[in-house]
Amino acid sequence: MKGRNSLPYFISKRLSAHRNNSFTKLISKIAIGSVALGVGALILAFSIFYGFKEGIEDKLFLHVGHLNVEKFTMNRSKEEPPVNVNNSDLYNYKEELPHVKNVYNYAHKWGLLKSNEEVAGLLIKGLSKDYQIERWDKEIVAGRFPTLEVEKNGAKEIMISKSLATKMHLKVNDDIIIYFIQKPPKARKMKISGIYSTGLEDFDDMVAYGDINLVRRLNNWGDSLVGGMEIIVDDFDKLDDIGTEIDEEYVDVHLHMRSVKDKYAHFFDWFHMLYNNVWIFLIVIVSVAIFNVISIMLILIMERTAMIGTFKALGANNNLLQKIFIFDGIRMAVKGMLIGNGVALIFGVIQQKFKIIPLEASTYYLDHVPFSFHWDTIFLINITIIVLTSLGLLIPSSIVLGISPIKSIKFN
């Protein structure tokens, strides 16, 4: 069996190494190039998609948790009714929650920000000390994150977005006055501790970050009252299953849990649309690449008609002859795949490091084209190409079945 398989492989290797005809060399290079282009384009397309998805998700999860738990209310305001965490199994047993990395408390408060020149609406999100502020390191453009739950009455400092700072002509360490619309109205003198930029207009245009104790004092809440709790899970792909388990076991009946996928569905709908577009692109590119290989292999077989006739006259069967050309086609496909993989990976690494292709953050949420290599996807792309190419090569290689030894030798 080994000898039978090695003979067609050896012959195909010799054919590939001795393409003396300039036209044959050219179309062989075209076949290799078409596969390289297809594989490279697919790897880049999926890597850019995953880069966009992960980059935007990372920014989104700075603003909100994977899961949100608060008291059920018909009020559409961002300000939540208070929840007592001392009576919450979710918070009291947070260290035991399955597949959970972090649980933290928050509370929102609307206000009007007044500087020397401008007035703007502002939604302050007060956070507890459980919040992992180091996650903001890449998005803070100046200053620092406010201190959390250090002062009993709340730190009198907030972090605002770059867009809001530009609009209000503010910078780090500037003093501002925030008016809180409530009964009775209250005003607080605050300091800008930091300025952030995530490019997500839903948040950057109005959300500022501060100490949850500040919101508690404004609302006359006790130390155990919060607006809600947010949960960060360890595997976002399993969010629905994790959320269902936590909701059934730990969330009290008077509380309501929502997934970030439901609360900010427009982001995930956009990801889904992009993913569908990438698959359409994959189908088109793979079809074109395979069609090119099949067409070129058909030309190469027709050019070798006399050789096929000679082999048949010497006793070679159709199976052996088919394998010769299938191996030849696979060899061209593998060369193209290696080139396509190499070019795509090198380009992706260069883009990751030097960010040579910029983007408009206000439109795409990111300031450069992102890349995220998923090796399982790259492996699947290569396997798909080689399998479909091998199956496609059965079409032109079947032509050898109808070639007559006498006619082909006489024709030559």
Side-chain angles (χ1 to χ4, degrees):
M1 182 63 71
K2 184 177 179 180
R4 292 181 182 179
N5 287 328
S6 60
L7 178 60
Y9 176 79
F10 172 77
I11 296 173
S12 70
K13 189 175 180 180
R14 297 286 293 179
L15 288 176
S16 178
H18 296 82
R19 298 194 197 279
N20 298 322
N21 188 305
S22 59
F23 176 72
T24 304
K25 288 183 179 180
L26 176 62
I27 61 174
S28 297
K29 290 179 180 179
I30 291 174
I32 293 170
S34 65
V35 174
L37 182 63
V39 171
L42 290 175
I43 292 174
L44 292 177
F46 275 100
S47 298
I48 291 172
F49 164 74
Y50 287 124
F52 266 111
K53 181 175 181 292
E54 293 168 6
I56 295 172
E57 283 180 349
D58 287 345
K59 291 174 179 284
L60 178 62
F61 300 150
L62 293 174
H63 295 288
V64 295
H66 298 156
L67 297 168
N68 170 267
V69 179
E70 58 189 29
K71 187 174 289 186
F72 182 80
T73 177
M74 298 298 291
N75 189 353
R76 299 293 295 273
S77 171
K78 289 285 187 179
E79 295 187 19
E80 310 87 2
V83 175
N84 191 333
V85 291
N86 286 344
N87 299 327
S88 170
D89 289 343
L90 177 65
Y91 195 73
N92 291 332
Y93 297 100
K94 63 180 181 179
E95 302 297 336
E96 303 175 15
L97 296 177
H99 308 292
V100 169
K101 293 171 63 178
N102 188 27
V103 179
Y104 57 88
N105 301 322
Y106 69 91
H108 288 101
K109 189 69 177 178
W110 281 108
L112 287 174
L113 187 157
K114 184 179 185 302
S115 66
N116 293 331
E117 302 178 27
E118 301 285 346
V119 176
L122 189 69
L123 180 64
I124 296 179
K125 183 172 185 176
L127 294 164
S128 67
K129 61 185 177 182
D130 304 302
Y131 184 79
Q132 298 170 328
I133 61 176
E134 63 274 8
R135 294 165 55 208
W136 277 92
D137 289 347
K138 294 181 180 180
E139 309 303 330
I140 295 178
V141 297
R144 59 173 176 78
F145 204 90
T147 55
L148 304 176
E149 291 193 286
V150 174
E151 301 178 30
K152 185 173 179 61
N153 291 325
K156 294 180 174 59
E157 56 184 20
I158 60 171
M159 181 176 73
I160 64 174
S161 70
K162 183 179 179 180
S163 59
L164 188 59
T166 301
K167 175 183 176 182
M168 302 294 291
H169 309 290
L170 294 171
K171 61 183 182 301
V172 173
N173 293 325
D174 279 358
D175 292 324
I176 56 173
I177 297 177
I178 301 179
Y179 296 91
F180 297 97
I181 313 303
Q182 58 186 75
K183 293 182 181 180
K186 295 181 181 180
R188 290 290 186 274
K189 185 178 181 180
M190 308 283 289
K191 186 180 289 291
I192 304 296
S193 71
I195 296 173
Y196 74 87
S197 177
T198 61
L200 304 182
E201 295 179 358
D202 299 47
F203 302 94
D204 284 26
D205 287 350
M206 64 176 182
V207 180
Y209 291 90
D211 189 350
I212 193 173
N213 279 345
L214 173 67
V215 179
R216 284 173 176 152
R217 297 302 167 259
L218 290 167
N219 290 339
N220 295 316
W221 290 355
D223 292 342
S224 64
L225 297 182
V226 302
M229 291 164 278
E230 288 184 332
I231 302 170
I232 302 295
V233 303
D234 60 5
D235 188 350
F236 187 74
D237 292 333
K238 299 178 181 177
L239 180 63
D240 294 336
D241 294 335
I242 295 172
T244 299
E245 183 179 355
I246 294 174
D247 194 18
E248 292 176 352
E249 298 292 332
Y250 296 95
V251 177
D252 302 317
V253 293
H254 64 285
L255 299 179
H256 175 59
M257 174 181 280
R258 291 184 69 189
S259 163
V260 66
K261 293 180 181 179
D262 298 326
K263 201 169 184 180
Y264 297 95
H266 57 288
F267 285 107
F268 297 94
D269 289 341
W270 187 60
F271 296 150
H272 185 68
M273 180 191 70
L274 283 178
Y275 189 67
N276 288 339
N277 290 342
V278 169
W279 273 103
I280 293 172
F281 182 64
L282 180 148
I283 292 171
V284 172
I285 289 294
V286 169
S287 300
V288 171
I290 293 174
F291 178 79
N292 285 342
V293 172
I294 292 173
S295 301
I296 289 167
M297 184 52 60
L298 180 61
I299 296 172
L300 293 176
I301 290 174
M302 296 304 294
E303 186 190 40
R304 295 286 181 175
T305 301
M307 184 200 77
I308 295 170
T310 301
F311 272 115
K312 283 193 172 184
L314 293 173
N317 58 35
N318 289 326
N319 185 45
L320 183 144
L321 293 170
Q322 274 189 295
K323 285 182 178 180
I324 291 173
F325 292 102
I326 289 176
F327 284 146
D328 195 22
I330 291 175
R331 183 177 290 104
M332 287 190 291
V334 169
K335 286 182 181 179
M337 287 165 55
L338 292 174
I339 294 171
N341 278 269
V343 171
L345 294 175
I346 291 171
F347 180 79
V349 170
I350 292 173
Q351 173 63 16
Q352 281 181 329
K353 188 171 183 179
F354 299 104
K355 301 177 176 56
I356 57 177
I357 305 178
L359 292 175
E360 181 58 49
S362 60
T363 303
Y364 296 99
Y365 305 118
L366 300 173
D367 60 3
H368 65 279
V369 175
F371 277 84
S372 177
F373 295 116
H374 284 221
W375 301 111
D376 55 340
T377 300
I378 293 174
F379 177 76
L380 181 61
I381 289 171
N382 283 278
I383 289 297
T384 301
I385 291 288
I386 198 67
V387 169
L388 293 180
T389 301
S390 300
L391 293 174
L393 287 171
L394 293 174
I395 299 173
S397 65
S398 63
I399 291 176
V400 301
L401 302 176
I403 294 177
S404 168
I406 297 176
K407 291 183 178 180
S408 61
I409 297 173
K410 183 178 179 181
F411 174 77
N412 188 54

